[in-house]
Amino acid sequence: MNFLEQRILKDGVVKAGNVLKVDSFLNHQMDVALLKAMGQEFHRRFAHKKITKVLTIESSGIAVAYPVAEAFGVPMVFAKKAKSINIDGDVYVAEVPSFTHKVTNQVIVSKKFLSSEDHVLIIDDFLANGYALQGLISLVEAADATVEGLGIAIEKGFQEGGKRMRNLGYHLESLAIVESMSAETGEIVFQAQEA
Ligand code: 5GP
């Protein structure tokens, strides 16, 4: 079991509706040493790729993406949730239905910060149905940039997003893959991973 899986078992809380709460170390209070180790692990897993930019989505992706960008020595860009009224021609736009908040957000990235020269590593905290990743991928595609990989802290393997992304041919690395979890018993089971 790796360090993130161990921490999820210790401090993660399973809520009804297939939600895993990790707000004592990742989503509200942040364990910066853990985040740094996660950044280094993503760097190790994608070290063979040429990465020029790390892209995530606000707000909870930012803390995960920051140490990844630091490890690669490249800028980190986060897609911002936008009010339609503020959207002009200078931004790429994607629609992202929110798993946790049950609304659809328009997210934007300024055209200044993604170009056809970029090789992008997309990072997020959770993968459920894959809508956030899909939105981020469409922003990269709108810029004619290249998606080099997808890095996820916690994938819920019993939801469809991971399978869909792998079937589409993306190189997806998840530090922890939850195979099953129960709000009744609190039990969390991980998929075995190669060391
Ligand atoms: P997806 O777009 O893949 O359906 O869901 C991923 C997004 O929803 C992530 O950006 C994350 O913020 C949020 N999310 C999905 N599942 C969970 C969960 O179990 N716990 C938490 N804290 N966030 C989740």
Side-chain angles (χ1 to χ4, degrees):
M1 198 176 297
N2 71 29
F3 64 97
L4 180 60
E5 293 167 328
Q6 282 170 10
R7 188 59 179 270
I8 295 166
L9 282 194
K10 184 167 160 277
D11 292 327
V13 180
V14 185
K15 295 285 185 186
N18 284 334
V19 173
L20 177 60
K21 274 202 100 144
V22 289
D23 59 357
S24 65
F25 60 98
L26 212 63
N27 283 155
H28 190 13
Q29 174 171 262
M30 289 171 186
D31 181 334
V32 295
L34 182 87
L35 285 159
K36 181 153 194 166
M38 289 164 60
Q40 286 162 350
E41 177 60 14
F42 280 122
H43 181 257
R44 187 182 73 78
R45 295 190 187 202
F46 290 103
H48 58 294
K49 302 264 186 171
K50 173 188 162 197
I51 306 293
T52 64
K53 222 154 258 189
V54 172
L55 176 68
T56 190
I57 182 166
E58 73 173 353
S59 54
S60 52
I62 295 173
V64 183
Y66 183 106
V68 182
E70 186 179 32
F72 278 98
V74 300
M76 185 270 277
V77 179
F78 63 95
K80 291 184 162 197
K81 290 170 189 155
K83 297 241 160 45
S84 313
I85 200 147
N86 294 330
I87 293 175
D88 57 29
D90 298 333
V91 296
Y92 301 114
V93 188
E95 302 266 327
V96 178
S98 162
F99 179 84
T100 36
H101 299 112
K102 313 290 175 211
V103 293
T104 293
N105 291 303
Q106 281 190 311
V107 298
I108 57 159
V109 166
S110 168
K111 290 183 178 173
K112 282 185 290 196
F113 304 132
L114 268 186
S115 80
S116 58
E117 312 285 292
D118 278 317
H119 293 258
V120 182
L121 176 56
I122 295 175
I123 296 285
D124 203 7
D125 61 340
F126 273 91
L127 173 56
N129 295 315
Y131 300 130
L133 283 185
Q134 216 168 283
L136 291 168
I137 290 167
S138 74
L139 293 172
V140 176
E141 286 175 344
D144 278 328
T146 307
V147 177
E148 289 292 347
L150 311 173
I152 293 290
I154 307 171
E155 174 181 339
K156 290 182 291 178
F158 52 87
Q159 293 176 293
E160 66 177 36
K163 202 197 300 168
R164 193 143 46 83
M165 291 301 153
R166 291 184 180 93
N167 285 344
L168 286 169
Y170 291 107
H171 177 185
L172 167 63
E173 291 282 345
S174 301
L175 302 189
I177 304 179
V178 177
E179 192 167 86
S180 64
M181 61 187 204
S182 162
E184 282 78 47
T185 64
E187 192 189 24
I188 302 170
V189 177
F190 296 105
Q191 233 173 65
Q193 292 197 51
E194 286 165 31

